[in-house]
Structure formats: structure tokens, C-alpha cells
Amino acid sequence: MDCKKLRNWFRKNAAELPWRLSDLDAPRDPYAVWISETMLQQTQVSTVRDYFTRWMKRFPDIETLAATTEEEVFKYWQGLGYYSRARNILKTAKIVAEGATQKFPQARKELEALPGIGAYTAGAILSLAFHQQEAILDGNLVRIFSRLYAIGILPVDSKEAADTYWDYAREVADSPKAYMHNEALMELGRTVCKVKNPECTSCPLRDTCRAHLENRTAEFPPSKKHIQKDWHGTVLIIESSDHKILAIHGGQKFFKNQFTLPHFESPRSATAGLPAQAESYINTDHVAVVENIGIFKHNITIHKIECDVLHIKLSSKAPVRNKLAKTAHEIQWIERSDATEFFANSFCLKALALLKP
């Protein structure tokens, strides 16, 4: 790989991003690197821009973040999905803030021991913030290496493939300019060496790219079928006579560790009347009205979701308790007017949007 050409290209083409310094050679704040790289996992740069800016205004440093609550973190994460990332961010912030130095470790092994920090994020922190000669490997780099060296190993996520790609990543990082090479490759993969319709004529590495030279770019990386699972369910919006909505924590299919609306898998067109599963959450003798208010669609990881939404109105006020007697799950009754602020996921918000005024 011609790293000099890569660096020259990056200096001319580096996009202005809120987490990127104008001086591309300057070490960065490890906290900002950590937050931006975590947000960028499974999320487009165009989406992350505004989220990162809002986050840094509210949580400018790790001490501020460590002092907040999970609910507050979810509020600023809402819409990014993969909420385990947000939960791990808060866990790691507390560990670092309560540590002896109150600073990020500068060794890969110690970083990877922190919740939510894997090999890629650890490498990004060490490389971009501390300018260590540490490798990184994400989907962009896998795609570039696969095309550059015509690597056709299947499956792409096998140990053999991972070892091969990491070897190339370490080769790129074996330089005092590792931080520049790593970031330049990420930028190249995002803007030029794209999954579809790569702009090979603009690529600084085209003269040595085997896939380009052999006119086989579309063959790399070798395709891997993504198995999509259809899931149909029912979401319950249970409203008390004093206009409070039931939220449940734990035991739910997609949101086991955060508050959500009760939901369960169900056959299509099987929601006429009160479903038996509702008995797990309420006393059915207190049900006044059951109404199917619509259907929404949603995607979570490999799950293609379609849900019927039932609005269950009770004749009784919200009980004063924080556990369900039948399941021991934690519950909370939320003022209906506060529900859209309380639930920190678009799954619940789509269901609530079907409520009639």
C-alpha cells in the first residue's frame, strides 16, 4: 500500500466533522474519540453529526457523564438504536471516573476490559488520541483490504478472514503516522471505496488495487447472505383511568434492560379482544375498553418487525406499586402526557404515535 499517496489524499479530502480537529496531526481527546466511534457503530456519519454535538454539550467530559443517570443517557441516545451501547458508555464512564487516575487507560488490554470497548474502539482511542502504533479494523477497512489484495475468504467473519485482515491492519499501523493511515482508510471506505458504485477513479490506491486492475471490484468482499427474521407481535398501551401508561422493565423480547411498553410475539390478525398475555400485567376485571389502534413496522438488527397495537383502557386508577405480582418485573406508571419523553426507543414511540388525542 502506498501510504504516502493515502496521506496526501486524506489531507486534501478530509471532511469537516465535529469530532475531527482541523489539525489532522494533533492528538485528540480520548473521551471524544470514544464517544464518536461508539456512536458510529452501525450508524451513518450524517446521522451521528448532530447526536455527537448535542451529547458533547450535555456531557462535555467523562466526569459529567459518570454523574448522570441511565434515563438521561438514553434521552440523548434516543434514535441511535442498539441501546446496549449507551448503557455500556455509562458503565465505562463510571469505572474511569472512579479510577485512581480518572483517565482512560493507554494500553489495549486495559481498554478492552471496559464495557463496550472492543478491539476496534480500543485501537481508535490508542491511535487517534494517543498516537500509538495500534491497528484498527472495521467494515470500511475490511472492504478496502479485500479489494486491494483480492481477498476472497468466506465467510468474511471467519477466524481465518479476521486474522488475515488484522495482519494487513497491523502493517498499515506499523508507522509513526499510524493515526493518519487509520483515519484516512476509514474516510476512503466511507466516501470512495463504497459498498456499491465505488469511485475507483478518485482512489489514491487504484494503481495497486488488484480488484480494480482486474475489473473485479464488485466481487469483493465476497458476499455474505444476511438472514432476516420476520417477527410479528402485539404491543400493549395500557392506560389507567387517571391517564397513566404502564411501562415495564425486564422480560421483554427486544428491550430486556430498559423500560418499554409490554409486547409479545403473536400471529397476524390474532388481536381481536383482550389477549391472554395481558393478564400478566393487569387485572382483567378492570378492563373497560380494548381497541386495536393500528399497525407499525420497525427493524431491530436482523429482525423485520410488524406489530399490532392495542390500546387497553382501565376502569381503575394506576396502582401504587413498582413490581408486577405475577412476574416480579419492575413497572412504572407514566403520565400519558410524558410518555413520549419517557420511552427512549423509537419502537415505543411508533406505537404511541398511533394513540388518538
Side-chain angles (χ1 to χ4, degrees):
M1 181 185 298
D2 191 330
C3 290
K4 184 177 180 180
K5 282 186 178 180
L6 179 66
R7 292 195 302 270
N8 290 340
W9 171 87
F10 185 56
R11 291 187 187 282
K12 293 177 181 178
N13 295 278
E16 291 185 9
L17 299 171
W19 52 85
R20 180 177 287 164
L21 301 178
S22 56
D23 181 358
L24 299 176
D25 290 296
R28 300 196 197 160
D29 174 11
Y31 172 70
V33 172
W34 170 51
I35 295 299
S36 63
E37 292 300 335
T38 304
M39 285 185 171
L40 286 165
Q41 294 169 18
Q42 309 293 332
T43 310
Q44 295 292 325
V45 168
S46 56
T47 300
V48 172
R49 284 176 182 268
D50 291 340
Y51 276 94
F52 177 81
T53 300
R54 288 195 297 270
W55 181 284
M56 295 302 288
K57 285 181 179 178
R58 174 60 184 86
F59 311 113
D61 50 51
I62 202 162
E63 293 79 15
T64 304
L65 176 58
T68 194
T69 63
E70 189 172 274
E71 289 73 21
E72 181 78 352
V73 167
F74 281 161
K75 179 179 177 181
Y76 282 82
W77 196 269
Q78 182 177 312
L80 282 174
Y82 298 91
Y83 287 87
S84 60
R85 291 183 295 172
R87 187 174 293 108
N88 284 330
I89 280 177
L90 183 57
K91 289 179 182 177
T92 286
K94 291 181 182 296
I95 291 171
V96 174
E98 294 168 5
T101 63
Q102 297 182 328
K103 294 180 179 179
F104 272 100
Q106 295 189 36
R108 180 179 283 274
K109 184 177 180 180
E110 293 176 17
L111 277 173
E112 291 184 17
L114 294 170
I117 296 184
Y120 167 79
T121 306
I125 293 170
L126 295 173
S127 174
L128 303 180
F130 300 118
H131 282 195
Q132 294 185 21
Q133 293 181 27
E134 284 283 352
I136 64 169
L137 185 68
D138 70 350
N140 286 314
L141 274 72
V142 165
R143 186 165 60 256
I144 292 169
F145 293 147
S146 179
R147 289 171 175 168
L148 196 63
Y149 304 110
I151 301 171
I153 302 171
L154 279 174
V156 174
D157 57 358
S158 66
K159 184 180 185 303
E160 180 187 2
D163 289 345
T164 300
Y165 290 126
W166 272 108
D167 284 343
Y168 283 117
R170 294 186 188 98
E171 185 179 306
V172 169
D174 187 19
S175 163
K177 292 285 187 179
Y179 63 90
M180 180 76 71
H181 299 162
N182 287 335
E183 192 167 23
L185 286 173
M186 287 190 285
E187 188 85 345
L188 188 70
R190 183 176 69 86
T191 62
V192 175
C193 194
K194 296 177 287 187
V195 177
K196 295 181 179 179
N197 302 317
E199 300 173 10
C200 297
T201 56
S202 302
C203 180
L205 306 178
R206 63 184 179 276
D207 293 340
T208 56
C209 177
R210 280 188 57 187
H212 172 62
L213 295 173
E214 297 171 11
N215 196 27
R216 300 169 59 206
T217 307
E219 297 179 26
F220 300 95
S223 62
K224 172 189 174 185
K225 288 185 177 180
H226 294 277
I227 301 173
Q228 191 170 54
K229 296 182 179 180
D230 291 332
W231 191 88
H232 186 275
T234 298
V235 178
L236 306 180
I237 300 179
I238 300 172
E239 183 177 359
S240 63
S241 62
D242 52 346
H243 306 297
K244 293 181 180 178
I245 302 292
L246 176 67
I248 184 168
H249 189 287
Q252 301 300 286
K253 171 68 175 178
F254 298 109
F255 305 96
K256 295 180 180 179
N257 295 308
Q258 63 176 284
F259 276 104
T260 184
L261 294 168
H263 57 274
F264 50 86
E265 188 170 10
S266 62
R268 285 178 172 79
S269 305
T271 55
L274 185 70
Q277 291 90 334
E279 296 181 9
S280 299
Y281 311 107
I282 55 175
N283 183 339
T284 55
D285 292 337
H286 296 167
V287 174
V289 178
V290 179
E291 182 183 5
N292 189 326
I293 59 174
I295 296 172
F296 72 89
K297 295 182 179 181
H298 191 69
N299 292 322
I300 298 178
T301 60
I302 64 171
H303 297 279
K304 185 179 180 181
I305 299 167
E306 182 180 84
C307 284
D308 288 288
V309 181
L310 293 188
H311 184 194
I312 301 174
K313 294 182 180 180
L314 304 179
S315 58
S316 58
K317 291 184 178 181
V320 181
R321 63 173 186 264
N322 58 9
K323 294 283 184 182
L324 285 175
K326 294 182 180 180
T327 65
H329 292 139
E330 184 181 355
I331 64 170
Q332 196 165 333
W333 289 89
I334 310 301
E335 294 289 345
R336 175 170 167 164
S337 58
D338 297 334
T340 54
E341 288 291 325
F342 177 81
F343 290 105
N345 60 73
S346 55
F347 177 88
C348 291
L349 296 181
K350 287 180 180 179
L352 291 168
L354 296 172
L355 275 177
K356 298 174 183 177

